[in-house]
């Protein structure tokens, strides 16, 4: 069973490729019953955790899901994690490992997959150039193929992780700031003369945080936003902005 979270599609692609080769079920954590996250796996079934890195940490919504997760006899199943990121992941896997251990789940191997950048919520961050995007996708396909081989062969003790130069600072200091101040839908707004009322933004939101009213998107402002920027990136007319942070920046989603 593969528990995944995806906004702009990078992680969904990776998780789908793993499922194709292992024959194991994909579970979108945003579609599960958070009050009944109990699972019994088939004999020999693997446990996979696939998610994007948010602020050098696992996303808050993913960590909440794990805190409620109950897998019968989890220690008798091979368990792996794969996280996607535009650059490096800091202590993301260390944090995940501790969260899983608290639920009686042992992480056997872990992988980070570098994918095209999609976070545009800070002044110095933008999407990759088309050339870099193509290069990242090509390398990611090769890396994922190698990771899948290790997963299908149930190799333990494998850690192929791009942690970066300052993993503690990024995950603990910057990650704390990111979680506290930047995981919010408050800055999102729509440029009305660009919006065509197509509803693509609402349809792409993984948490259902956007509703269409009067042919225009409205964010619920109730804490469900995970700041994945899927709405921003999927908008066909580039009508969505995140305050001033996204002015003149590019768009990206996996296709």
């Amino acid at each position: 069973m593969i528990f995944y979270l995806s906004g702009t599609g990078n992680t969904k692609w990776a998780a789908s490729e793993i499922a194709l080769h292992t024959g194991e079920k994909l579970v979108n954590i945003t579609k599960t019953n958070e009050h009944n996250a109990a699972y019994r796996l088939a004999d020999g079934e693997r446990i996979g955790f696939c998610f994007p890195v948010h602020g050098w940490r696992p996303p808050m919504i993913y960590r909440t899901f794990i805190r409620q997760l109950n897998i019968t006899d989890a220690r008798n199943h091979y368990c792996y994690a794969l996280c996607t990121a535009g650059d490096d992941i800091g202590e993301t896997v260390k944090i995940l490992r501790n969260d899983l251990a608290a639920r009686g789940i042992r992480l056997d191997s872990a992988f980070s997959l570098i994918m095209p950048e999609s976070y545009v919520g800070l002044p110095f961050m933008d999407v990759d150039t088309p050339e870099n995007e193509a290069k990242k996708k090509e390398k990611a396909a090769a890396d994922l193929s190698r990771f899948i081989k290790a997963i299908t062969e149930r190799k333990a003790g494998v850690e192929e992780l791009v942690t970066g130069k300052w993993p503690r600072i990024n995950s603990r200091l910057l990650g704390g700031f990111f979680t506290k101040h930047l995981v919010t839908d408050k800055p999102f707004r729509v440029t009305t003369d660009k919006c065509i009322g197509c509803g693509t933004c609402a349809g792409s939101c993984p948490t259902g945080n956007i509703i269409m009213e009067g042919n225009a998107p409205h964010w619920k402002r109730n804490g469900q936003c995970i700041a994945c920027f899927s709405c921003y990136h999927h908008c066909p007319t580039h009508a969505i902005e995140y305050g001033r942070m996204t002015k003149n920046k590019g768009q990206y989603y996996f296709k």
Side-chain angles (χ1 to χ4, degrees), residues 1 3 39-48 71-72 77-78:
M1 192 167 290
F3 300 101
Y39 299 88
R40 181 180 294 275
L41 279 59
D43 290 345
E45 187 174 358
R46 303 168 189 82
I47 308 171
I71 299 177
T72 302
H77 295 269
Y78 175 78

Side-chain angles (χ1 to χ4, degrees), residues 8-236:
T8 53
N10 286 336
T11 307
K12 185 177 181 180
W13 165 71
S16 297
E17 288 295 308
I18 296 171
L20 182 65
H21 286 81
T22 62
E24 290 164 349
K25 181 181 179 182
L26 280 171
V27 177
N28 182 345
I29 69 150
T30 65
K31 306 300 182 184
T32 60
N33 183 345
E34 63 181 19
H35 301 296
N36 187 29
Y39 299 88
R40 181 180 294 275
L41 279 59
D43 290 345
E45 187 174 358
R46 303 168 189 82
I47 308 171
F49 296 97
C50 298
F51 57 92
V53 174
H54 286 182
W56 295 278
R57 297 180 176 188
M60 290 193 301
I61 189 175
Y62 205 84
R63 298 186 71 187
T64 298
F65 170 78
I66 289 173
R67 292 186 186 109
Q68 298 162 342
L69 183 62
N70 182 14
I71 299 177
T72 302
D73 206 20
R75 288 190 174 273
N76 285 330
H77 295 269
Y78 175 78
C79 176
Y80 64 91
L82 183 145
C83 58
T84 62
D87 192 357
D88 54 68
I89 69 165
E91 293 186 328
T92 293
V93 168
K94 182 177 182 179
I95 295 168
L96 176 73
R97 192 183 299 277
N98 290 337
D99 287 349
L100 292 175
R103 304 303 300 160
I105 302 171
R106 180 190 64 245
L107 188 61
D108 293 302
S109 289
F111 313 89
S112 64
L113 190 65
I114 303 304
M115 295 289 292
E117 183 62 72
S118 63
Y119 188 75
V120 290
L122 288 170
F124 54 88
M125 301 189 74
D126 199 350
V127 299
D128 291 303
T129 64
E131 294 77 17
N132 283 342
E133 179 184 322
K135 288 178 182 178
K136 279 188 172 182
K137 283 185 174 180
E138 183 178 5
K139 186 177 187 303
D143 288 343
L144 182 59
S145 179
R146 187 175 69 257
F147 299 164
I148 289 174
K149 187 175 187 297
I151 291 167
T152 55
E153 294 176 357
R154 304 171 191 271
K155 289 187 176 180
V158 179
E159 284 203 354
E160 293 208 32
L161 306 173
V162 181
T163 58
K165 293 182 179 179
W166 305 285
R168 287 171 61 91
I169 292 174
N170 287 340
S171 289
R172 301 186 188 193
L173 181 61
L174 300 182
F177 176 85
F178 179 92
T179 299
K180 185 175 181 179
H181 298 288
L182 300 180
V183 184
T184 175
D185 58 6
K186 291 181 180 179
F188 280 113
R189 57 182 174 81
V190 62
T191 305
T192 54
D193 59 346
K194 289 184 178 180
C195 180
I196 59 175
C198 65
T200 300
C201 53
S204 72
C205 179
T207 61
N209 187 53
I210 301 173
I211 56 174
M212 298 297 293
E213 293 181 351
N215 290 324
H218 292 266
W219 287 261
K220 295 181 179 179
R221 320 291 191 195
N222 62 1
Q224 291 183 348
C225 180
I226 60 174
C228 68
F229 285 84
S230 182
C231 57
Y232 165 87
H233 289 296
H234 280 88
C235 179

